[in-house]
Amino acid sequence: MKKTTMMMALAAGVLLSSCGSKKALVACQDENKSLSATLSSTKEELAAKSARVTSLEEQLAEQKRQTAALQQSLQQSLSNASQNNVSIEKLVDQINESNKYIRHLVEVKSKSDSLNMVLTNNLTRSLSKEEMKEVDVQVLKGVVYISLADNMLYKSGSYEINDRAAETLSKIAKIITDYKDYDVLIEGNTDNVPISRENIRNNWDLSCLRASSVVQALQTRYGVDPKRLTAGGRGEYNPLQSNDTELGKQRNRRTQIIITPKLDQFMDLIDKAPDQE
């Protein structure tokens, strides 16, 4: 009898110990899932911030290039004046005329930049914090670029737009509709990983089909005038970063919505000569 009692007590102890171990295991698994989700979110935020830093560095480099070009142009003008024995008075007149035209171009650019900044601010305010992780908005050379991550827009390896993209596209379509004097180019871009599927021969096909899907969604779902829309694909040949890293490939797989003033209106502004004194 004593033996039986001891055996039962021992079995009960083992059972209780097993239950305690299972609870600890479940708790560890839950904690691991939570940590994994936090790590994934942190990686996404880091990638978005890294992309933004790269974009700002590119804009700074472009500004430096433009400044150097202006300095070189001025030096060339002075050199030509000296070689051709141009009088100081004539050179001053030429510089004054050039300055008037430059001021005119600055005014035109300022008007264009002001409109673009309003457009950009309206768009960024309408996007949620989560959407801004996968949408990059910037103004470069008077043009608004909206860059959308491929995993936000499309099903993997496909050109079909997923349900998650609907809300973001609707906000972008609202901005496009509000600014009727702008044309819109949808440009698809891929990384350099080859693809070959039914009806998709290569990355050229994939980038063009993706751009076409966005154009048709803007037209049919959100009522954007198709006369303002253009779809184009650049395949893997317009990378932002090297495809040697996963982060680089992620940045290169994108669709850009490029919003520009209508070319004929913009050229009319530039062609108007400044007032003669």
Side-chain angles (χ1 to χ4, degrees):
M1 184 68 177
K2 288 182 180 180
K3 224 181 251 189
T4 302
T5 303
M6 290 178 63
M7 290 295 291
M8 290 176 64
L10 182 59
V14 171
L15 182 60
L16 288 172
S17 174
S18 174
C19 290
S21 297
K22 286 182 179 179
K23 289 181 179 179
L25 177 60
V26 170
C28 287
Q29 289 174 337
D30 290 341
E31 184 178 2
N32 184 54
K33 289 179 180 178
S34 176
L35 291 172
S36 296
T38 301
L39 177 60
S40 177
S41 175
T42 302
K43 284 182 177 179
E44 290 179 358
E45 291 183 8
L46 179 60
K49 290 179 180 178
S50 176
R52 183 60 180 161
V53 168
T54 300
S55 173
L56 291 174
E57 288 175 345
E58 291 170 354
Q59 293 182 53
L60 178 60
E62 176 62 21
Q63 289 296 329
K64 289 181 178 179
R65 188 195 67 76
Q66 292 180 5
T67 300
L70 286 173
Q71 290 175 342
Q72 183 179 2
S73 176
L74 179 59
Q75 290 174 355
Q76 185 65 41
S77 296
L78 293 173
S79 175
N80 291 341
S82 175
Q83 292 173 4
N84 297 322
N85 296 318
V86 178
S87 66
I88 297 298
E89 292 80 4
K90 188 173 181 180
L91 179 59
V92 169
D93 289 340
Q94 290 175 350
I95 291 175
N96 287 337
E97 288 299 319
S98 296
N99 285 340
K100 285 199 301 185
Y101 192 64
I102 288 172
R103 285 195 298 270
H104 171 66
L105 291 179
V106 169
E107 290 174 2
V108 171
K109 185 176 186 302
S110 178
K111 290 178 182 178
S112 176
D113 286 349
S114 297
L115 285 172
N116 287 338
M117 289 309 299
V118 171
L119 185 156
T120 301
N121 290 335
N122 287 345
L123 177 59
T124 52
R125 279 199 299 266
S126 71
L127 296 174
S128 68
K129 183 179 179 181
E130 289 302 314
E131 287 172 321
M132 286 302 296
K133 291 180 182 179
E134 298 176 306
V135 179
D136 180 42
V137 183
Q138 60 175 298
V139 177
L140 186 61
K141 296 182 181 179
V143 178
V144 179
Y145 291 84
I146 307 170
S147 187
L148 307 171
D150 72 321
N151 59 348
M152 187 271 287
L153 275 178
Y154 314 105
K155 299 176 182 178
S156 180
S158 170
Y159 56 87
E160 294 182 18
I161 295 178
N162 61 37
D163 296 334
R164 194 160 67 96
E167 185 174 355
T168 303
L169 283 179
S170 68
K171 294 175 182 178
I172 294 173
K174 172 71 167 57
I175 296 296
I176 293 173
T177 302
D178 288 344
Y179 289 81
K180 299 184 184 298
D181 292 332
Y182 284 70
D183 284 327
V184 183
L185 168 64
I186 313 299
E187 181 183 275
N189 295 269
T190 70
D191 57 24
N192 65 347
V193 178
I195 183 171
S196 181
R197 299 189 180 182
E198 186 178 1
N199 298 326
I200 305 178
R201 294 168 296 183
N202 48 42
N203 284 328
W204 277 116
D205 279 358
L206 181 60
S207 65
C208 291
L209 288 168
R210 284 182 166 179
S212 179
S213 291
V214 174
V215 162
Q216 293 180 67
L218 291 174
Q219 175 188 352
T220 59
R221 298 185 195 176
Y222 308 111
V224 177
D225 184 356
K227 294 178 182 178
R228 300 172 57 198
L229 299 172
T230 302
R234 303 190 69 175
E236 63 198 68
Y237 301 104
N238 185 36
L240 293 176
Q241 292 186 356
S242 169
N243 284 297
D244 294 336
T245 65
E246 284 303 317
L247 179 59
K249 290 178 181 177
Q250 179 182 333
R251 277 209 76 198
N252 294 335
R253 295 192 302 267
R254 69 200 187 281
T255 294
Q256 287 190 309
I257 299 178
I258 304 171
I259 305 175
T260 62
K262 290 185 180 294
L263 186 59
D264 54 350
Q265 297 175 0
F266 187 70
M267 292 306 296
D268 284 344
L269 283 173
I270 292 179
D271 287 340
K272 289 180 181 177
D275 295 335
Q276 300 294 324
E277 295 180 356

